[in-house]
Amino acid sequence: MLGFFSGHKQLFLSDPLYPSDLLFGRQIAELLPAMIAARPLVAAGIFGGALVTLLILGHTLVLGRHRFPKLSGTARAARLALAVPVLGAFASIMDPMTYSYARDRLNIIPMMWDQKENYRHNGFLLAFTFNIPMANVTAPTGYGEETIADISGELVPSSIFSGRQADVIMIMSESLWDPTRLSGVSFSEDPMPVIRSHQSGEIFSPEFGGLTANVEFEALTGFSNAFLPYGSIPYQQYIRRPLPSLATFFESKGYETRAFHPFQSWFWNRRNVYEALGFQKFESEETMPALEKRGIFASDEALTDHLIRTADDTRNPFFFFAVTLQGHGPYEATRYESHAVKVDAPALSPASQASLATFTHGVREADDSLKTLMDWARKRKRETIIVLFGDHLPPLGPVYTELGYMPKMVASRRAPVETMKREHETPLVIWSSKRGVQKNIGSISPSQLPHFVVRLAGYRHPFYTGVLGRVQERYSVIDRHQLIERNGRSEADWSLNGEIDPTLQNYRFIQYDLMFGEKHGVEKFFPEMVEPNQPVS
């Protein structure tokens, strides 16, 4: 059954099942109604097959207890005497980071850098087991107190810059993407005119079709998934203690900090994570007023109206971070009564065209919500900074293959730069009610967003504008499999090539220090995390 789920996860999210996935089975269960609505016949077949399997297993268990004799203590001991040494021999091959003669003779090759091939070559059980030790993050070579002390922060003293007390609203829009990138499709009008006219660049998402929490982790902390074990999900595995974020930074400047997501607070462990990231308040489906829905998901319009009402009731400067829900797949044809943008795609099957039309209308409503927010911000006395970006491409399934946009229904993890950009870029808007659009940012990793947000707000910070600033001056994208420099030069599988640029290595040292290490650099790089008169732990 685990192998079955692994195959389906790979089909829809491009990755097989990892040990960490067992921590969020509740997320999958909560999304089952939407999945069933999209593919009812397949769902009925799966549930029917599962029920039959359980009945057969139950019957076999009852039958076995009556037909097979009970083992004596001697027989059990004999079997243990045989099994324990065999299991012990297999234990010697389970560390993927060390050489094993037995593993080599058995042609078992741990391919931790390419999990699809790892699962294909070794089979589900071995590959799944190989990933269990990956939950333990080891310190990068050279990490230590002296190493952290030698890293320079912001060259200009941060205290010189007091900021402009601008309000900041940061919105991660679920599956926001530009459907006009698809060839062979005509639209009656531009589905995202406001976003297009105010676009600052693109977000190079490390994910596709899901795993929103990984994109969110980068955007809020400035840390990178590229330095973490393949398949890991920081929100589930690693954030167990206070961690610096944009929330902790803005709170240190006297801001009120709130997070918003119109779904249940346990989803992606957000209730605990937002507390660890320093948000003063988290408004979820349980605590928000009832919001109008589109299908089964809260609408972007209703969430935007709630943000505006909350902002109007907030006297102090604020930092709001919101995650929308309306754009979530699957994109059932019945979600909307009518579509504002007509889609014509002769190469698509009727079901795929209906799915694309539903998604496109959602993009149009996300665009309308951004306009509402901007119109409101323009009328305010205090400067308002709005950041909007998509977390990943939408899970449109056969739409991509039928139009030839991608060879498979999921994006590539390792491919040439142009292919990766095509399959991972989402729109990015960074706009100020007083200073307009921040243009020509280019295609950047979500981990670089804190640099641009803090800088636009008029502040300096040892990490966000210092360390992260030096990183973004040279690199635009830091992906696990692709490193892209500002000059366009790229390096595939850069983390496996031995030497790492000192700028990136320092970045990695600080991330490890704060997430897993001794916090040697917390006072130097994140002074807002140190309470007055309290020693650094």
Side-chain angles (χ1 to χ4, degrees), residues 243-257:
L243 196 67
S245 72
L246 285 175
T248 58
F249 168 76
F250 280 110
E251 182 183 16
S252 72
K253 301 301 180 182
Y255 280 58
E256 293 190 24
T257 60

Side-chain angles (χ1 to χ4, degrees), residues 137-140 143 148 151 214 217-219 221-229 232 234 238-239 241-244 447-448 463 467-468 471 478 480 494 503-522 525-526:
V137 183
T138 57
Y143 166 73
I148 297 296
I151 302 173
N214 282 356
F217 163 76
E218 291 200 6
T221 64
F223 294 153
S224 176
N225 289 289
F227 301 135
L228 299 173
S232 63
Y238 304 135
I239 301 181
R241 64 183 187 182
L243 196 67
S447 58
Q448 303 216 7
F463 178 76
V467 174
L468 205 56
V471 170
I478 305 168
R480 192 183 306 278
W494 57 277
T503 302
L504 289 178
Q505 190 68 296
N506 289 341
Y507 178 24
R508 183 184 183 186
F509 283 143
I510 294 173
Q511 176 172 327
Y512 178 86
D513 184 53
L514 268 294
M515 290 188 69
F516 311 104
E518 301 301 320
K519 295 187 177 182
H520 298 305
V522 66
F525 295 104
F526 300 97

Side-chain angles (χ1 to χ4, degrees), residues 433-450:
S433 60
K434 304 296 184 185
R435 299 166 187 270
V437 180
Q438 304 301 295
K439 295 185 177 181
N440 303 318
I441 288 179
S443 182
I444 64 171
S445 290
S447 58
Q448 303 216 7
L449 276 175

Side-chain angles (χ1 to χ4, degrees), residues 202-235:
E202 292 82 24
I203 286 293
F204 186 99
S205 176
E207 303 298 345
F208 171 85
L211 295 179
T212 297
N214 282 356
V215 184
E216 186 177 328
F217 163 76
E218 291 200 6
L220 282 174
T221 64
F223 294 153
S224 176
N225 289 289
F227 301 135
L228 299 173
Y230 193 101
S232 63
I233 301 168
Y235 272 27

Side-chain angles (χ1 to χ4, degrees), residues 39-89:
R39 304 180 70 184
L41 293 179
V42 173
I46 292 173
F47 283 114
L51 180 60
V52 170
T53 301
L54 289 173
L55 290 173
I56 292 175
L57 287 173
H59 176 71
T60 304
L61 181 63
V62 172
L63 193 66
R65 285 183 176 276
H66 289 88
R67 296 291 181 90
F68 296 105
K70 185 177 181 180
L71 291 177
S72 66
T74 303
R76 291 178 186 273
R79 284 159 174 77
L80 279 174
L82 177 64
V84 169
V86 172
L87 290 174

